[in-house]
Amino acid sequence: MKYIYIKTWGCQMNEYDSSMIANLLQKEKKYLLTSSIEQADILILNTCSIREKAQEKLFHQLGRWKKIKDDNPKIIIAVGGCVATQEGKKIFKRANYVDIIFGTQTLHKLPNMISKIENNTNRIIDISFPKLEKFKYVSKPIKTKYTENVSIMEGCNKHCSFCIVPYTRGHELSRPCYDILYEISNLAKQGVREINLLGQNVNAYKGLTVNGKICRFSELIRLVAKINGIDRIRFITSHPIEFTDDIIEVYKDTPKLVSFLHLPVQSGSNKILKLMKRLYTVEDYKLIIKKLKLVRPNIQISSDFIVGFPGESDQDFQQTIDLIEDINFDMSFSFIYSRRPKTPAAKMKDNISLQEKQKRLYILQNRINIQTMLWSRKMFGSTQSILVEGISNKNTTELFGRTENNRIVTFKGSPNMIGQFINLKINKIHTYSLKGELI
């Protein structure tokens, strides 16, 4: 019996890919997943290139794994994900003990790659972009939780000036509609109750139906809502430029779609949005939110922000803070701008000091935290529908689940509630989590 250890960095897309890798190697190679590096025969690192110094983070991790391989040369080390696609053969040059480099679109080839290494092939690399080929190998997923991610498309065509995703995951490609529905139906039969549709830009989805017609994202959500057993639907991430009226209409007629939306805006300055090549204005963004609140008055919005983008003045930053207060965002992912290789923004003059960037990030995150706490306070004493996901990590005598607006709630309950929707009264609040009691 052989064991695989997978370390995953980055977004939910990477988490989904790692799940695919684990399922594939268990089915085709009969390998078992382990959480112990010492027990593993194969070490797999699934990387992310969004953040600064992603390459150095990779080589630091590989350096730690080298010591393990020095003690046991039979251990196979494989590197995949976005940094693997970005760096390619450079990884072999700096870490010649790595056996396999695979890309975001070639993870399905891992079983064959591993077999070749076991038969004494000397290093393998495949970071090509076969169109959606990997999804053909995961048509019968293995449910591990009561809420599951399902990737509906790959890549992005937007080419925002700061973003490396189009270079590491390729152009937008939508999975066939029937393929997605088949996967979700299988998950529902295994007890999954909540689905999170994934993509770099999900609202650009245009997948083929059985009849050869195009299924838009709004239509896909309605079809998922019809699957027996699926009672809650989320999606991430979407782009404002394609958040069209037909998607807004889904919020009006599809109650299974949660009243919570993550819609990245990145900046509150039209000047910076233009430099970022985001293709919309602050006014366009506000109009989308206004339309959404007309059909879902209680919807809560989270977003992404980049602080200190080249050319961002004090006034530009203040416009971002003004937008945060105007929209009343619930949560955010916010980062200091960092240059990413091959992106147009990498050629721009970065005229803002690190100290100033850190100051702005602190101001922004503090503002968001205040608003998050205010949203939590509004939930005190309310009744919330919770999907019970399991036993709390912090207190094994409690269970935990999530509200529609993605707050973790812990409470006293019995294990037979796991996997069920229950109603809780919120009796204690923290900024990002809640306590509840059974009604």
Side-chain angles (χ1 to χ4, degrees), residues 184-417:
I184 296 174
S185 295
N186 273 318
L187 289 169
K189 289 174 184 176
Q190 296 176 61
V192 171
R193 306 293 301 279
E194 177 182 286
I195 290 295
N196 188 17
L197 304 174
L198 298 182
Q200 271 71 40
N201 180 20
V202 289
N203 48 345
Y205 176 81
K206 294 179 179 65
L208 288 176
T209 66
V210 175
N211 298 326
K213 296 181 180 180
I214 296 296
C215 174
R216 296 178 300 173
F217 183 56
S218 56
E219 297 169 306
L220 177 66
I221 294 174
R222 290 191 177 97
L223 289 170
V224 172
K226 292 179 179 179
I227 296 174
N228 290 333
I230 301 301
D231 295 301
R232 188 179 278 177
I233 303 169
R234 304 181 188 273
F235 60 82
I236 195 169
T237 299
S238 50
H239 194 294
I241 197 67
E242 289 178 302
F243 211 95
T244 47
D245 288 346
D246 62 303
I247 298 173
I248 293 171
E249 282 294 309
V250 179
Y251 283 89
K252 186 176 181 179
D253 59 34
T254 310
K256 289 184 179 182
L257 183 59
V258 298
S259 293
F260 184 81
L261 170 66
H262 184 77
L263 186 61
V265 65
Q266 306 299 358
S267 174
S269 163
N270 284 334
K271 182 191 89 177
I272 297 301
L273 289 175
K274 187 174 182 179
L275 289 172
M276 289 178 168
K277 295 186 178 180
R278 291 293 286 174
L279 307 177
Y280 57 83
T281 64
V282 171
E283 292 72 28
D284 295 332
Y285 188 91
K286 286 182 176 180
L287 182 58
I288 293 169
I289 304 303
K290 181 180 179 180
K291 289 179 179 179
L292 277 168
K293 289 187 175 180
L294 285 175
V295 297
R296 289 277 184 99
N298 296 321
I299 194 168
Q300 288 170 241
I301 311 295
S302 70
S303 196
D304 290 348
F305 297 94
I306 294 175
V307 173
F309 190 81
E312 182 187 70
S313 65
D314 290 340
Q315 182 182 4
D316 295 321
F317 177 68
Q318 185 57 50
Q319 288 173 351
T320 298
I321 297 300
D322 293 343
L323 178 66
I324 288 170
E325 294 176 355
D326 187 20
I327 299 294
N328 194 16
F329 288 106
D330 181 5
M331 301 177 186
S332 80
F333 294 104
S334 49
F335 310 98
I336 289 173
Y337 168 75
S338 62
R339 297 174 184 266
R340 306 312 300 132
K342 300 182 181 179
T343 62
K347 299 176 183 178
M348 297 179 184
K349 184 179 179 180
D350 192 350
N351 60 336
I352 306 167
S353 69
L354 178 60
Q355 184 179 11
E356 179 62 26
K357 290 177 182 179
Q358 291 171 335
K359 175 185 172 183
R360 291 179 186 179
L361 183 66
Y362 174 80
I363 292 170
L364 185 148
Q365 291 182 338
N366 186 57
R367 180 66 249 176
I368 290 284
N369 287 340
I370 290 170
Q371 292 179 188
T372 302
M373 189 61 184
L374 290 173
W375 276 110
S376 291
R377 285 177 182 172
K378 289 180 182 180
M379 299 177 72
F380 182 79
S382 68
T383 299
Q384 298 289 326
S385 177
I386 309 297
L387 173 57
V388 184
E389 296 184 36
I391 297 171
S392 171
N393 290 329
K394 294 182 178 180
N395 186 342
T396 56
T397 67
E398 293 182 330
L399 302 177
F400 83 97
R402 292 177 191 269
T403 61
E404 274 203 32
N405 62 341
N406 218 25
R407 292 287 197 285
I408 292 177
V409 186
T410 56
F411 65 98
K412 298 285 186 181
S414 60
N416 61 7
M417 294 177 178

